[in-house]
Amino acid sequence: MIAKLDRLARNVAFIAGLMESGVEFVAADMPQANKFTIHIMAAVAEQEAEAISKRTKAALQAAKSRGTALGGRRVSARKWAGIAATGREAAAQVRSANAEDFRNEILPVIREIEADGVTSLHGIAAELNSRGETTRRGGEWSAVQVQRVLSAEE
């Protein structure tokens, strides 16, 4: 059982040889196909493969003539490790900046809750949750998270 005949092969001779050898197969996209239909569809698939190849070669040649550098980036493992380290460092800086921005937004709310007389970490977390305030990731507040916001301020 194959999904589509052209996924089996795009070569008439191969499919004809397969049929001659007695291998039975059914294409899910046309289960009622007989030998004649399979030969025709194989010929169409082969022709389409040739057309795709010609279009691809022409497009690559046109890109090359425009001066486009073809092929992927080739770097050594050592250089790649340096690129990855730079990326990790940049990502850490972005995460820190986002955390600081969030902390600056939520801290006045925490200070307001404290001004209303709620001073325990559990109490502040409960009040934040009751007000519908969510953590940076959209979850509910816990005492530990409140403590982290307050300790980062120091």
Side-chain angles (χ1 to χ4, degrees):
M1 177 65 95
I2 54 173
K4 294 177 70 178
L5 182 63
D6 67 347
R7 302 314 305 156
L8 175 62
R10 291 187 176 198
N11 182 305
V12 177
F14 176 80
I15 292 182
L18 199 61
M19 290 172 29
E20 282 295 316
S21 69
V23 174
E24 292 188 28
F25 57 90
V26 176
D29 63 335
M30 53 176 160
Q32 72 287 354
N34 58 27
K35 285 184 177 187
F36 178 71
T37 308
I38 290 172
H39 276 286
I40 291 174
M41 295 308 292
V44 169
E46 185 174 332
Q47 182 180 11
E48 180 60 20
E50 290 172 10
I52 290 170
S53 176
K54 286 179 184 175
R55 287 192 305 264
T56 301
K57 287 177 183 176
L60 287 171
Q61 185 57 44
K64 192 173 183 181
S65 67
R66 287 191 309 267
T68 303
L70 301 177
R73 178 175 24 177
R74 309 282 194 279
V75 296
S76 67
R78 184 177 306 180
K79 188 170 183 180
W80 184 252
I83 292 168
T86 303
R88 282 191 302 274
E89 184 178 318
Q93 289 175 355
V94 168
R95 284 192 308 274
S96 292
N98 288 342
E100 188 173 335
D101 290 346
F102 180 77
R103 192 177 309 112
N104 291 336
E105 289 177 24
I106 200 66
L107 200 54
V109 178
I110 293 174
R111 293 299 180 218
E112 181 183 315
I113 293 169
E114 289 175 328
D116 290 342
V118 180
T119 57
S120 74
L121 297 175
H122 288 285
I124 294 170
E127 183 60 26
L128 286 169
N129 290 328
S130 71
R131 290 183 180 197
E133 297 287 347
T134 59
T135 63
R136 191 164 73 94
R137 294 185 178 176
E140 289 195 353
W141 285 93
S142 70
V144 171
Q145 292 165 314
V146 173
Q147 182 181 26
R148 287 182 182 149
V149 169
L150 293 174
S151 66
E153 180 190 34
E154 297 169 356

